[in-house]
Amino acid sequence: MAREDAVRCLRCLLYALNLLFWLMSACVLGVAAWIRDSLNTVLTLTAHTRLEEAAVLTYSPAVHPVIIAVCCFLIIVAMVGYCGTLKCNPLLLSWYFGSLLVIFCVELASAVWTYDEPPVQRSDMISLKSRMPNYGLQRYQWLTHTWNSFQTEFKCCGVIYFTDWLEMTEMEWPPDSCCSNQYPGCARHAHYHDLSDLHQEGCGPKIYSFIRGTKQLQVLRFLGVSIGVAQILAMALTLTLLWALYYGRKSPELDSTAAPTPPDDSTPLTVTHGPSAEASKSGCSRTNKGCTNIPAAAASKPHEHQFEMERLS
């Protein structure tokens, strides 16, 4: 009874862990897709600079195709583990344990391989100004769109200050993407009337903060550590469940071979050797409940009385 309760408890814990694997893997994929969009914008602005190398080094563990594939594979493995736990199938549970072990080793190797501080300094932000003169040119429409997207999303303007647009380009006022409330011609109106309508912070510090790590990246790291801990716990519970199932199959066989065959109460046991043979001749019947032995001397008394009567006569 205790073994059955333990197996039931192990199965419930594995159900919960597999559900966590589904939820955390889906969260990792969603956050990675969210970060990838912003990362592509940063990589476009920082192309061929040290900032690009630092951004790739920081975010490669989060958006690397191997990590994405591992999360997708973990969802499938969790389904197999759920089925194996539901049916108590040792083959599925063994495959589940092996898959979790492989995934954990890949995640650990990836974390160790990519763990490094990005070699970036604030002075490297100045290199972004070299990308500004191409803004608005027909050949660099993709760069124009990238600047507008980044300034709108991160609420910044220029590299250090919005005046960078006036210094590095032939523009008389910043792009409209620098406005806090965007509409056609908002930057021109703000430049001549109210500069507070423009974003006052430059995009250089924003990119520096992004490379050093965002909240989304911290969430991904937390999810990665949580998945690793859950995998270790799931592997331990799977081994315990396999041992319980193996012991449960072997236990009935051991009980059947070790249990003695009970004697049949209806079969009398008779003894034909030794002193008990005389008791058997004198009408002693022994069963498993007990046997009443009639002494030999008491059994021979009728014969002695008969012999005495013959002698007197």
Side-chain angles (χ1 to χ4, degrees), residues 14-160:
L14 285 175
Y15 290 149
L17 286 176
N18 288 322
L19 180 60
L20 282 179
F21 286 148
W22 290 334
L23 295 177
M24 289 190 292
S25 298
C27 290
V28 168
L29 294 176
V31 176
W34 184 15
I35 289 181
R36 194 177 186 87
D37 188 24
S38 300
L39 180 62
N40 290 335
T41 303
V42 172
L43 293 179
T44 303
L45 293 179
T46 60
H48 310 295
T49 63
R50 292 180 59 184
L51 298 176
E52 181 186 20
E53 298 177 2
V56 171
L57 184 61
T58 302
Y59 286 90
S60 58
V63 298
H64 198 278
V66 174
I67 301 301
I68 304 301
V70 164
C71 290
C72 296
F73 184 61
L74 182 59
I75 295 177
I76 299 176
V77 171
M79 293 181 181
V80 175
Y82 180 84
C83 295
T85 306
L86 181 64
K87 298 181 179 180
C88 291
N89 190 320
L91 180 61
L92 291 178
L93 290 174
S94 301
W95 189 89
Y96 174 68
F97 173 82
S99 300
L100 286 180
L101 182 61
V102 171
I103 292 175
F104 179 78
C105 293
V106 171
E107 292 173 347
L108 184 62
S110 177
V112 173
W113 179 44
T114 58
Y115 180 77
D116 195 6
E117 287 292 331
V120 60
Q121 300 177 358
R122 288 187 178 273
S123 58
D124 296 328
M125 303 297 115
I126 307 300
S127 61
L128 291 174
K129 290 186 176 183
S130 62
R131 314 286 293 178
M132 299 180 73
N134 297 325
Y135 181 88
L137 299 180
Q138 187 66 29
R139 293 174 50 189
Y140 296 96
Q141 290 296 321
W142 52 272
L143 183 60
T144 301
H145 175 73
T146 301
W147 269 112
N148 291 333
S149 298
F150 189 86
Q151 292 186 145
T152 301
E153 180 179 355
F154 288 86
K155 295 179 172 50
C156 59
C157 185
V159 177
I160 304 301

Side-chain angles (χ1 to χ4, degrees), residues 3 7 10 237-249:
R3 188 189 66 83
V7 169
L10 290 173
L237 292 177
T238 303
L239 283 179
T240 307
L241 181 59
L242 285 172
W243 178 84
L245 294 176
Y246 177 80
Y247 179 79
R249 290 188 176 185

